[in-house]
Amino acid sequence: MKSLILKDLYNIGHNMKSMLLILVVLAVGLISSAGTESYVVASGIICGTMVITTFSFDNMSKWPRYAMIMPVSRKDLVASKFIVLLIFAVGGAVAGLVFGAGGGVLLHKLVLNTEGILTLLQLSLIGFLYTAICGSISIPLVFKFGAERARMLMFVSFIAPSAIFYGIYKLLEDIGIVLTEDMIPMLLCLALAIVVVWVAVMFKLSCHIFSKQEL
């Protein structure tokens, strides 16, 4: 399992400098126009999409076919992709926190007091959770349709949860339930539990899809 994870991290390593440059440029553009909050969440999402790139590398080298003649199970291969996704999501959340804080202060969009730091930490967690949900949708799509076709469907996997969350928010608003700042810790704990269950379901689905494929 460790070797499978390191393989993807090494393969994607040459893209890290480009990704850092994208995050820095995005920090200048997005923080100045939409604020620090949007950037912190967006950085996690951008980093999370790199998991699709690891599939592209695997397909070019015909890695899955080779892996199956080694002491590696299909379940291990699927699990490694989900772990790599979570690593990318954590990296994006940390990058968003660091660059968001720096850019927010430099562009006078953020005050680094206790409240500002707490807000950034909460936003980083939200970015991580959102990336985990959307990315875990992308993985079974890749196993089903392949990396190139899944790139087009990936946008749906990232947009659909946003539409669902917004619909739930509007529904609660219509029935008179107002979400306040005091409810944020409780909502984050609830969201974390939902993400754990959701990722587990997507993992099982990915294992099922991959088990039916002929390599």
Side-chain angles (χ1 to χ4, degrees):
M1 178 69 71
K2 180 181 178 180
S3 299
L4 294 174
I5 297 169
L6 289 176
K7 171 190 69 68
D8 284 338
L9 295 181
Y10 288 150
N11 283 340
I12 209 71
H14 70 281
N15 286 341
M16 290 302 181
K17 291 183 179 179
S18 300
M19 181 58 66
L20 288 174
L21 179 60
I22 291 173
L23 291 175
V24 171
V25 173
L26 183 66
V28 175
L30 196 58
I31 292 176
S32 60
S33 59
T36 307
E37 296 83 0
S38 299
Y39 172 76
V40 173
V41 176
S43 62
I45 296 172
I46 292 173
C47 291
T49 59
M50 291 194 299
V51 72
I52 305 298
T53 305
T54 67
F55 279 96
S56 296
F57 289 143
D58 288 349
N59 290 340
M60 286 189 293
S61 63
K62 301 186 184 302
W63 162 252
R65 183 178 299 177
Y66 177 71
M68 290 301 99
I69 64 174
M70 301 176 65
V72 175
S73 69
R74 297 194 180 212
K75 184 177 180 180
D76 288 339
L77 197 150
V78 173
S80 70
K81 292 300 181 183
F82 277 86
I83 294 173
V84 168
L85 167 66
L86 296 178
I87 291 173
F88 288 157
V90 170
V94 173
L97 180 64
V98 174
F99 293 146
V105 171
L106 291 174
L107 296 172
H108 306 291
K109 295 288 185 176
L110 176 70
V111 178
L112 277 184
N113 53 20
T114 303
E115 182 180 354
I117 294 173
L118 179 60
T119 299
L120 280 178
L121 291 173
Q122 291 173 342
L123 288 169
S124 296
L125 179 57
I126 291 172
F128 167 77
L129 295 175
Y130 186 78
T131 303
I133 287 179
C134 298
S136 63
I137 298 174
S138 299
I139 291 177
L141 289 176
V142 177
F143 279 118
K144 180 67 175 178
F145 300 106
E148 297 308 316
R149 291 175 63 186
R151 285 185 187 276
M152 296 181 289
L153 296 172
M154 181 180 65
F155 293 104
V156 177
S157 69
F158 277 84
I159 293 173
S162 300
I164 293 172
F165 294 149
Y166 181 74
I168 293 174
Y169 171 76
K170 294 300 292 184
L171 176 63
L172 293 175
E173 191 177 62
D174 290 341
I175 62 178
I177 299 177
V178 180
L179 301 180
T180 64
E181 291 187 5
D182 295 335
M183 299 173 64
I184 290 178
M186 180 188 68
L187 292 173
L188 287 176
C189 291
L190 177 61
L192 180 59
I194 292 173
V195 168
V196 170
V197 173
W198 181 259
V199 171
V201 171
M202 291 297 102
F203 170 71
K204 290 291 186 181
L205 177 61
S206 298
C207 288
H208 174 73
I209 293 172
F210 192 42
S211 67
K212 301 297 183 180
Q213 292 181 348
E214 294 184 6
L215 301 176

